[in-house]
Amino acid sequence: MAANDPVLVTGCSSGIGLATAQRLLAAGHTVYATARRPESLDGLARTGARVLALDVTDEASMRTAVEAVEHEHGAVGALVNNAGYGVYGPVEEVDLDDVRAQFETNVFGLGRMCQLVLPGMRRAGRGRIVNISSMGGRLVFPTGGWYHASKYAVEALSDALRVEVRPFGVDVVLVEPGLIRTEFGTTASHGLAAGDEGSAYGGLRSYADELMANAYRSRAAAEPGVVADAVVKAVRTRRPRTRYVVTAAAKLQVQTRRLAGDRVWDMAMRQAYRLR
C-alpha cells in the first residue's frame, strides 16, 4: 500500500485495537479508528485518529464506515479486522445463541468487512487486509472449542481470500497472537465460571478457569503493544508474510502442536486439564 493510504481498524476501544491505532498514528498513517461506541475513542481522536462508529454485526454501520473512508480517499488502503471476542465452555453446554453471536462478530462481520473494502481496493490496484486471528486458529484447548472454531474459520477464509485477490494487488495477512493481557481473558474466564450447578463438566470448568487466569498472569502473556507492532509490520512491509505468530510462547505451542500429532496433543491436554 502507498504511504498515504488510509488504514481502517475495527474494535479500537481497548486492547489490541487501541494499541494498533496508536502505533499506526505514531508511524504517520491516516487512521480511521472504529468501535461500536465512538465516545470510547476520545483519546485516539485527541491524538489525531479519525473516529467512526462501526458495529461489525450491523450492515448499515459497516457500509457507512467504509463509504466514509472511500468518500475522502477513494479506497481503504488497509483494513485491520480486529473486532472479536471469545465464548468459552464445554462444547455440549455452550448456548448456541451465544455461539451464533460470536460467529457474527468473529467470522461474518470480518468477512463482510472484507467484501465491502475489496471493490475499492481492486479499483485502486492495491490494498492490504490484516485479519487478527489467534494461535487458537492453529490449535485447540479444551473448553475453547466454539471460540477456536471461529478462529479456524478466519484462517480458512483468509487462506482462500489471499489467493483470490492477489492478482488485484491486494495482500491478505493473518496475525496470530498468543496470550495477550486484554479484557479477553476476563470475559472468557467469566464464561467458564458461569456453568450450571451440577454440570457433568463442573470440574473441567473450574480447573480451566483456574488455568486461564494463571496463564494470563504468567510471563507467557504479553502486552497488546507486541501485537500492534506485528500489525504495523504487516501493514507497512512491502512483501508481508502470510502469517505473523505473536509471542515466543505462541510460536512454541503452534510448532509443538504441528509436530506432536493428534494423539500426543490429546494426551498432553488431558494431563494439563486433569481429564482421565
Side-chain angles (χ1 to χ4, degrees):
M1 59 175 286
N4 60 342
D5 285 346
V7 185
L8 175 61
V9 187
T10 68
C12 293
S13 60
S14 64
I16 292 170
L18 173 60
T20 295
Q22 291 171 333
R23 293 288 205 279
L24 288 166
L25 283 167
H29 289 276
T30 299
V31 176
Y32 285 81
T34 72
R36 288 180 297 175
R37 296 181 297 105
E39 65 272 15
S40 66
L41 306 174
D42 287 347
L44 285 171
R46 287 193 294 271
T47 58
R50 317 282 182 90
V51 170
L52 295 172
L54 197 166
D55 181 347
V56 298
T57 67
D58 181 86
E59 174 71 15
S61 174
M62 290 186 282
R63 281 185 175 275
T64 299
V66 172
E67 288 170 359
V69 180
E70 291 182 340
H71 178 75
E72 188 167 350
H73 300 275
V76 174
L79 168 67
V80 180
N81 272 315
N82 168 69
Y85 68 99
V87 171
Y88 272 68
V91 170
E92 181 182 347
E93 293 188 343
V94 177
D95 191 299
L96 283 180
D97 285 341
D98 293 334
V99 173
R100 293 184 183 99
Q102 176 184 240
F103 269 72
E104 281 292 340
T105 296
N106 292 9
V107 182
F108 305 135
L110 175 148
R112 184 56 178 150
M113 287 298 298
C114 293
Q115 290 180 333
L116 289 170
V117 302
L118 276 167
M121 289 182 174
R122 287 190 290 101
R123 288 192 300 269
R126 64 180 184 273
R128 193 154 297 180
I129 295 173
V130 180
N131 290 332
I132 307 299
S133 179
S134 168
M135 72 172 181
R138 305 279 290 279
L139 51 83
V140 178
F141 297 115
T143 72
W146 290 114
Y147 169 71
H148 290 282
S150 74
K151 290 304 184 181
Y152 269 64
V154 169
E155 299 270 330
L157 189 72
S158 301
D159 283 343
L161 187 63
R162 185 176 62 250
V163 178
E164 293 169 357
V165 301
R166 188 66 189 90
F168 305 110
V170 179
D171 294 304
V172 178
V173 183
L174 281 158
V175 175
E176 302 167 327
L179 293 171
I180 306 298
R181 296 187 187 98
T182 67
E183 295 175 1
F184 177 94
T186 302
T187 303
S189 180
H190 174 73
L192 284 170
D196 294 335
E197 187 175 348
S199 163
Y201 302 96
L204 172 60
R205 279 182 176 274
S206 177
Y207 193 61
D209 182 22
E210 180 183 339
L211 280 179
M212 183 174 290
N214 289 337
Y216 277 94
R217 289 194 296 262
S218 73
R219 294 171 63 183
E223 296 302 321
V226 300
V227 185
D229 289 340
V231 174
V232 172
K233 185 180 296 184
V235 167
R236 292 173 62 86
T237 301
R238 187 173 66 86
R239 295 188 63 187
R241 302 177 194 170
T242 58
R243 284 172 167 80
Y244 292 85
V245 183
V246 183
T247 79
K251 292 175 182 177
L252 177 62
Q253 287 181 301
V254 167
Q255 290 305 313
T256 299
R257 175 66 184 93
R258 183 178 67 85
L259 296 172
D262 293 341
R263 293 187 182 279
V264 173
W265 183 260
D266 287 357
M267 181 178 66
M269 291 299 98
R270 288 196 300 271
Q271 291 177 345
Y273 285 80
R274 297 178 178 174
L275 299 171
R276 297 292 183 264

